[in-house]
Amino acid sequence: MPMTCPLTFHVDDMTCGHCASTIARAVRAADAHAGLEIDMQGRRVRIRPTEANEAELLAAIAEVGYHPVPVADGAASGGRCR
């Protein structure tokens, strides 16, 4: 099983609970078993993918009308993820 590093995106235009649920549905459609954390206050979405890659997840969020920007994740910087 490949190691997956979490991906973090800043989504400045995620301003409410409806936005968060729309993004969550888009992520689940792209990767049904991904771990997902949404920080509304920080406008961050953290995903631990199981099937989709970063480009696919970015595209899924963009397709529902948001503008995700990748954020460097400290946990991934060591090159070792589980």
Side-chain angles (χ1 to χ4, degrees):
M1 175 178 224
M3 292 172 32
T4 59
C5 294
L7 303 170
T8 302
F9 303 113
H10 180 77
V11 187
D12 195 50
D13 48 356
M14 177 177 66
T15 59
C16 66
H18 181 266
C19 297
S21 64
T22 299
I23 290 170
R25 280 193 302 275
V27 169
R28 294 281 184 231
D31 189 336
H33 302 290
L36 179 62
E37 297 173 34
I38 295 180
D39 173 7
M40 284 290 305
Q41 197 166 14
R43 296 185 180 177
R44 297 211 178 210
V45 177
R46 188 169 192 203
I47 306 166
R48 184 175 290 277
T50 61
E51 301 165 2
N53 62 36
E54 181 177 24
E56 292 167 330
L57 292 165
L58 279 167
I61 296 170
E63 284 175 13
V64 294
Y66 298 92
H67 301 91
V69 176
V71 175
D73 191 327
S77 63
R80 295 175 57 186
C81 300
R82 50 187 164 111

